[in-house]
Amino acid sequence: MLDFRGMLRFGGLFIPSARESIEMFYPFEKDFAVSSRKFSDRFGLRATPLEDALAATVGWYRTRETSSPG
């Protein structure tokens, strides 16, 4: 089985964007965690729960949909 990273290295000889994409492999090679703890501690802000953000976005979209001309 061919190594995808190796294929990109070979393709990078001819296609610059293939060569540049190799550095973006880290999310697919191992798990990583993202934490907003330092930001939250420093600025006292908390992330909006997904359900609240989704409801607000859908509500905003619906108001634009009904008020758009045409």
Side-chain angles (χ1 to χ4, degrees):
M1 179 175 218
L2 291 174
D3 175 30
F4 194 68
R5 184 184 284 258
M7 290 172 41
L8 282 176
R9 286 185 199 275
F10 178 73
L13 296 173
F14 310 100
I15 307 167
S17 59
R19 180 176 55 246
E20 294 167 3
S21 66
I22 294 171
E23 67 187 50
M24 299 308 295
F25 258 84
Y26 67 92
F28 305 104
E29 294 178 329
K30 61 181 180 177
D31 293 340
F32 65 97
V34 177
S35 173
S36 63
R37 184 183 53 82
K38 288 182 182 180
F39 180 87
S40 296
D41 291 348
R42 172 88 168 143
F43 296 103
L45 300 173
R46 300 288 177 243
T48 303
L50 180 61
E51 294 80 14
D52 296 345
L54 185 60
T57 301
V58 169
W60 171 85
Y61 182 77
R62 285 183 176 158
T63 61
R64 285 188 44 88
E65 189 177 64
T66 58
S67 64
S68 63

